[in-house]
Amino acid sequence: MSLLVVGSIALDSVETPFGRREEVLGGSATYFATAASFFGPVRLVATVGEDFPEKHVAFLSSRGVDVSGLERRAGRTFRWKGRYEFDLNQAHTLDTQLNVFADFKPELPAGHRASEYVFLGNIDPDLQRQVLDQVRSPRFVACDTMNFWIESKRESLLKTLQRVDMLFVNDAEARQLAGEHNIVRAARRILSFGPRALVVKRGEYGALFFTGDHVFASSAYPLPALFDPTGAGDSFAGGFMGYLASREQEDVDVMRRAIVLGGVLASFAVEQFSLERLKTLTHDEIRARYAEFRQLTHFDDLEIDLFGREAGGR
Amino acid sequence: MSLLVVGSIALDSVETPFGRREEVLGGSATYFATAASFFGPVRLVATVGEDFPEKHVAFLSSRGVDVSGLERRAGRTFRWKGRYEFDLNQAHTLDTQLNVFADFKPELPAGHRASEYVFLGNIDPDLQRQVLDQVRSPRFVACDTMNFWIESKRESLLKTLQRVDMLFVNDAEARQLAGEHNIVRAARRILSFGPRALVVKRGEYGALFFTGDHVFASSAYPLPALFDPTGAGDSFAGGFMGYLASREQEDVDVMRRAIVLGGVLASFAVEQFSLERLKTLTHDEIRARYAEFRQLTHFDDLEIDLFGREAGGR
C-alpha cells in the first residue's frame, strides 16, 4: 500500500474537565499518520518550525511514518489552544497561532507522487488541490474540512470536492455545507457535489457512512472515561484510510469495517491526552475493541412466527 | 401475554417546521398502547374528559386495546401544546392544561391486577407506586419519568425505581438523575438505584441499553423526512414492551431485539403527525424496517491476517 497524508502538525495546549496539558504533540497529520500506521507505512507531508522537538519526529519515524516530506522552516511551530467543557463534543478555541503553517505550501517529494491512497487533512481547499495536482493517479482520495472553509472558501471547497472520492465532516459541518438540516437529505446533497462517499462524524454518537445507494450507521464505543477529544476525527480518518489502503479494496463491506476501525482508533485516542494512548496501543487491543464493537451492536433476526398466524400481514 | 400501561391521554397541538396540527390524539399511554398492540393485546388505564372524541376510543379498541380501565370524568381532557424547531430532538412546551389528568388516581379493574408486564408512563412517581400496589405479582415492570419529577419528587422517584425492572429516560434525564455527565458512569449509578436494566434514548442518535454487565448500542434509522417527534419515546417503549410480553422471555438477546423494535416503532411514529402513521402501519412494514436496521448496522469480523505475520502483537 501507499498512503499519503497532508495536514498540520501542532503543539496543542488543551484544557478539559479532567486536566490540562501544555504544548503537547497535536495536529491533523500527526493523529492521522499515527492511527493509520497500525495498518502499514504512511507518508507524511507537513511543516514545523525550528522549535519543534526532535523527539516527536523520532516518534513518528518509529511508527513507520515516512517523514521525508516533513519540512522544517525558520520560525515557530503552529500552536493551538483549546478548552472542552463537560460536553466533550464541542471544542472551544482559545488561541490559534499559525506561525510557519500560515505559509504552508505542500511540496511532495518525488517518491510520494505515485501514492495510491491520499488523505487531505483540514487545510485551505486551494492547497488540497495543489496536493492533488502533484499526485499522478491516485486510487482513492479523501478529505476533511471545517466550518471556516465552508464559510470563507466555499467555491474553492466545491472544486476540491469534485476531485475527491470521500469527505469526512461532522454533523454541523454537513448541515452547513449542504444548507439542509435533515442529515439524510444533507448527505444526498453533498454527494451531488462530487464525492462518492461521505462520513458524517457524530462524536460520542458514532458515525454515518453514505454512498449513493447505501447507508451504514456505526455506534461510538461508550467510554466510562474520556479525557481529551482532540484528534478524534483525524484518528478516525487514519484508522479508516489505513485499513482501506492495507486491503486495497473499496467495496462496501470493506468500507464498513474501515468505519468501525476508524471508531476503534478514535475511541483509543480520546482515552488520554495528546497521542499518549496511541503510543502504547497494540494490534491486540485494536482487535479486541473491534470485537467489542461487534458485541455492542449485534442483534439477531426476528423470529419467523413473531406475528403468529398472521405473519406477513397485519 | 398480559401487558398493562398506565399513563396519559392528551389532545396535542403541535407545531414543527413542516406543519401544525390542532387537538390531535396524543399522550404517553396512547402512543405506548398503539405501538405495543402490534405484538398482542394491551390493557390501558388512563383518564379523559367529557370532551374526548369517541372516535379515539374506538380507534384504540380497534387496535386490540382493552379500554375497560379508561375513566371518563367530568371536565376537559388533558391538553399539551408544543413546538419543535429544526432540531427536532428538543420539544418546547408552549402550554400544558392538565384538566382531568390533574386528579388522576389510577384504579385498576379487577381483571388487570394479574398483569404480568407493566409499563408506568411518565406520571407522578407516587401514582406509579399506587399502580404497583394494585398489581399482584408483576413479572416485568418498566417506567418512564422526566426532568420535572427528577427535580421536584426525587425521593419518591427513587422509591419507585427500587420497584421496577427497567427505566426508560433520555440522555439529559439520565445525566440529571445520576448527577454525572459521562453516560456510562451515569448508567451504572442509575442501576445502583434499583432497576436491573436501563434504556437511554438519544433521539435521532438511537438508544443505549445497559444492564449490570452488558451494553447494547442501537442506531436510529436515518429518516429523510421526520415530521413530528411527539410520542417517539412512548412508541419506543411500546414496541419494546409489546415484543417482550409477546415473547415472555427477558434474556439479553430478546432485550436487544426489543430495543431495535422499539426503534422501529419510534421511526414510524415520527414520520407523520400524531398517531397517523401508526394507524396505517402493518406487520410487513415492521418486519421490513427491522431488516433495514440490521442492514444499516451490520459489519463483518476482521480478517484473520489483518496485521500480517505480526498478528497478535504490535
Side-chain angles (χ1 to χ4, degrees), chain B residues 62-73:
Chain B
S62 78
R63 290 284 338 154
V65 177
D66 178 342
V67 294
S68 62
L70 177 63
E71 177 198 44
R72 194 184 275 273
R73 300 180 53 175

Side-chain angles (χ1 to χ4, degrees), chain B residues 13-71:
Chain B
S13 295
V14 180
E15 209 182 308
T16 81
F18 314 109
R20 59 194 300 162
R21 292 292 186 281
E22 299 286 334
E23 306 230 326
V24 290
L25 181 58
S28 62
T30 319
Y31 281 102
F32 179 95
T34 304
S37 72
F38 287 92
F39 303 90
V42 185
R43 297 162 176 173
L44 175 148
V45 170
T47 188
V48 294
E50 297 157 315
D51 59 345
F52 189 67
E54 188 55 37
K55 67 175 180 188
H56 294 329
V57 181
F59 160 67
L60 289 167
S61 297
S62 78
R63 290 284 338 154
V65 177
D66 178 342
V67 294
S68 62
L70 177 63
E71 177 198 44

Side-chain angles (χ1 to χ4, degrees), chain B residues 11 18 50 67 84 108 115 122 139 145 197 213 217 268 294:
Chain B
L11 294 173
F18 314 109
E50 297 157 315
V67 294
Y84 299 87
L108 272 54
S115 296
N122 172 25
R139 173 174 171 156
T145 193
D213 54 5
F268 282 117
R294 264 183 71 85

